[in-house]
Amino acid sequence: MKPSLKLALLTSLLAGCAANPQVEKQAALTEAARQAGGGLIKTLGGELKAAMTAGGPATAIGVCKEKAPKIAAEAAQKTGFMIKRVSPKNRNPKGVPDAWESEALASLEQRLAAGEKPETLDMSAVVDTPEGKLFRYAKALPTQAVCLNCHGDPDRLSPEVKARLATEYPNDKAVGYSAGMIRGVLSMKKAM
Ligand code: HEC
């Protein structure tokens, strides 16, 4: 294809996008979700690190239990997104993925297997619901070395962590991960 033709095609494609308000809105919401999600993960990571240094992983379980939902709720209030963390191998009994989240996770897993970096893996969509159009966003939460203290091989968890998890999460499925795996997704949604 001639370069001028290529350019004309690209321009018309871009113009096509710009003329579609839903596509524009989705792009803007995706950007907002990335910002909110990135901030939330950073805040949570900082809290986790501080608690681990101060009292070790058994104490830091409290950060995940009380602070994580609180930080998410604060971010939700600030941004208007509904925010939660979900995983097919959930620890929090309420962390079960819905159909869209399961599909999103499967596609993020595929992209990870195809060589994409886990830190930047995310996706968004606009779905039709009986209440109208809903913006949805999923960001992969990759398992890092620090996560293994509480989500790694069950035989290698400290006895304190094991005991605490057994009492607080009797139906815990969130162990057996290794570094680089996707632990779950940060899921956000907002009516359009
Ligand atoms: C100190 C122990 C601890 C560490 C370290 C830890 N987690 Fe968790 N994680 C928990 C607990 C406890 C919960 C359940 C929180 C709740 O009750 O909502 C949890 C829940 C989650 C969930 C929500 C889904 C579910 O299973 O209920 C995700 C996702 C998650 N953790 C990812 C991570 C990632 C990624 C890291 C590393 C960056 C990490 N965790 C490090 C203890 C930990």
Side-chain angles (χ1 to χ4, degrees), residues 92-135:
N92 182 328
K94 291 192 222 139
V96 182
D98 66 18
W100 187 84
E101 288 159 344
S102 296
E103 272 176 41
L105 180 61
S107 112
L108 295 172
E109 296 273 14
Q110 269 177 12
R111 284 166 50 192
L112 180 71
E116 271 189 62
K117 278 207 227 121
E119 304 82 44
T120 48
L121 267 179
D122 67 358
M123 62 177 288
S124 73
V126 175
V127 298
D128 287 310
T129 74
E131 291 79 37
K133 291 201 182 300
L134 185 66
F135 169 80

Side-chain angles (χ1 to χ4, degrees), residues 94-182:
K94 291 192 222 139
V96 182
D98 66 18
W100 187 84
E101 288 159 344
S102 296
E103 272 176 41
L105 180 61
S107 112
L108 295 172
E109 296 273 14
Q110 269 177 12
R111 284 166 50 192
L112 180 71
E116 271 189 62
K117 278 207 227 121
E119 304 82 44
T120 48
L121 267 179
D122 67 358
M123 62 177 288
S124 73
V126 175
V127 298
D128 287 310
T129 74
E131 291 79 37
K133 291 201 182 300
L134 185 66
F135 169 80
R136 302 216 54 170
Y137 173 82
K139 176 174 177 55
L141 297 169
T143 308
Q144 301 160 29
V146 63
C147 317
L148 301 178
N149 285 297
C150 302
H151 296 295
D153 181 345
D155 294 333
R156 294 175 67 181
L157 297 178
S158 80
E160 294 82 11
V161 167
K162 250 190 185 159
R164 194 80 200 258
L165 290 177
T167 41
E168 302 205 24
Y169 301 96
N171 299 312
D172 184 25
K173 298 198 258 300
V175 290
Y177 285 86
S178 45
M181 288 171 82
I182 300 179

Side-chain angles (χ1 to χ4, degrees), residues 43-45 47-49 51-52 56-72 85 91-92 146-147 149-151 164-165 168-169 183:
T43 308
L44 188 54
E47 294 270 0
L48 188 63
K49 215 166 146 189
M52 296 275 285
T59 312
I61 285 176
V63 170
C64 293
K65 193 178 165 91
E66 277 101 38
K67 290 242 173 103
K70 215 164 139 196
I71 292 168
R85 297 190 305 169
R91 175 162 291 167
N92 182 328
V146 63
C147 317
N149 285 297
C150 302
H151 296 295
R164 194 80 200 258
L165 290 177
E168 302 205 24
Y169 301 96
R183 174 61 266 277

